[in-house]
């Protein structure tokens, strides 16, 4: 069966510090991978998605970047965190596009930037 | 500009009764809709979906209704069970090769035993 691992579960970082969140998927090959964020009082917002190794599409211009160094690994990074980067970050995968297969989410990372 | 709106942040229902969660959208390009359920400390899980060519889709105790003219969809849970207590997210997307899903803010359902 397929599983998705996302860590850490919670993170408190000072403004200006770097960020690296990692997500790995097991049990499937060549998945579509996604990073979503839920800010306070907002819905889930798609930040990045990837359809293959080294292929990253950004949906929202921001202070963050994403990389996919391996087929089942997706990393969210920032060189310098802002207060507005606080939120709940979710990694997800799907077999096909979201209109043809559901998203499978990790348990998320609660990031607080102080 | 919220394209997918869940106007009720919370809903309480007695066990055994019907739960109705509502969702409105503004973008007429949306042609498929999904509901996800989220328990605390877990990621959302897919519940049920509906394409714009249908007005109803049923899966066990869960039924989603779509009213395209009103740009409104609803999720019915019958009968409601305490294990259904969770946050429910409505999401919408348009085909044509898009990977984007637009989510609502969620509605917290509490089913009272």
């Amino acid at each position: 069966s397929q599983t998705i691992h996302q860590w850490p579960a919670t993170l408190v970082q000072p403004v200006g510090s770097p960020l690296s969140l990692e997500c790995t998927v097991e049990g499937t090959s060549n998945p579509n991978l996604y990073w979503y964020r839920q800010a306070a009082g907002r819905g889930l917002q798609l930040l990045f998605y990837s359809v293959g190794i080294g292929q990253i599409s950004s949906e929202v211009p921001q202070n963050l970047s994403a990389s996919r160094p391996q087929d089942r690994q997706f990393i969210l990074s920032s060189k310098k965190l802002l207060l507005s980067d606080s939120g709940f970050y979710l990694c997800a995968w799907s077999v096909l596009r979201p209109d043809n297969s559901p998203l499978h989410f990790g348990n998320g990372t609660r990031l607080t930037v102080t | 500009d919220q394209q997918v709106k869940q106007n009720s942040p919370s809903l309480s229902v007695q066990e055994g009764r019907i739960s109705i969660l509502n969702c409105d959208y503004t973008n007429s390009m949306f042609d498929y809709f999904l509901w996800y359920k989220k328990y605390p400390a877990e990621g959302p899980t897919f519940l049920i979906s509906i394409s714009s060519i249908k007005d109803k889709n049923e899966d066990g105790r869960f039924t989603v209704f779509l009213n395209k003219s009103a740009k409104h969809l609803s999720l019915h849970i019958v009968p409601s069970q305490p294990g259904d207590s969770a946050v429910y997210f409505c999401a919408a997307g348009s085909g044509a090769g898009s990977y984007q899903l637009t989510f609502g803010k969620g509605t917290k359902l509490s089913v009272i035993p």
Side-chain angles (χ1 to χ4, degrees), chain A:
Chain A
S1 65
Q2 302 92 354
T3 56
I4 179 168
H5 302 280
Q6 185 182 345
W7 66 93
T10 59
L11 191 59
V12 180
Q13 293 282 104
V15 168
S17 64
L19 172 74
S20 180
L21 300 181
E22 189 166 342
C23 171
T24 58
V25 180
E26 296 177 358
T28 186
S29 296
N30 196 30
N32 296 325
L33 296 173
Y34 308 81
W35 278 111
Y36 277 85
R37 176 174 64 195
Q38 185 177 22
R42 307 283 297 272
L44 294 173
Q45 180 185 39
L46 179 62
L47 302 176
F48 302 95
Y49 69 89
S50 170
V51 300
I53 295 175
Q55 300 179 60
I56 308 294
S57 297
S58 173
E59 290 293 313
V60 182
Q62 62 221 312
N63 182 42
L64 302 168
S65 62
S67 62
R68 185 172 179 173
Q70 299 179 47
D71 180 41
R72 290 168 289 177
Q73 184 185 28
F74 206 23
I75 297 172
L76 183 69
S77 305
S78 173
K79 292 182 180 178
K80 288 186 179 181
L81 283 169
L82 306 172
L83 285 174
S84 58
D85 292 324
S86 292
F88 188 56
Y89 290 81
L90 286 159
C91 181
W93 69 272
S94 68
V95 174
L96 302 172
R97 286 199 314 266
D99 56 335
N100 283 315
S101 67
L103 297 174
H104 304 275
F105 287 90
N107 287 339
T109 296
R110 176 76 59 189
L111 172 66
T112 303
V113 182
T114 60

Side-chain angles (χ1 to χ4, degrees), chain B residues 24-100:
Chain B
D24 297 292
Y25 62 96
T26 57
N27 189 339
S28 58
M29 297 299 291
F30 289 146
D31 57 9
Y32 67 96
F33 305 87
L34 311 96
W35 286 92
Y36 283 81
K37 178 170 75 173
K38 183 184 181 304
Y39 292 118
E42 295 183 10
T45 56
F46 170 74
L47 191 57
I48 192 170
S49 65
I50 187 167
S51 162
S52 61
I53 62 174
K54 291 185 170 184
D55 54 17
K56 177 183 173 182
N57 190 25
E58 195 172 349
D59 184 2
R61 296 185 296 113
F62 303 91
T63 303
V64 56
F65 295 92
L66 176 63
N67 182 334
K68 290 186 291 293
S69 60
K71 294 191 175 66
H72 176 83
L73 65 154
S74 60
L75 175 68
H76 293 212
I77 306 174
V78 183
S80 300
Q81 299 173 354
D84 297 327
S85 297
V87 176
Y88 289 78
F89 291 97
C90 171
S94 56
S98 172
Y99 287 82
Q100 172 73 273

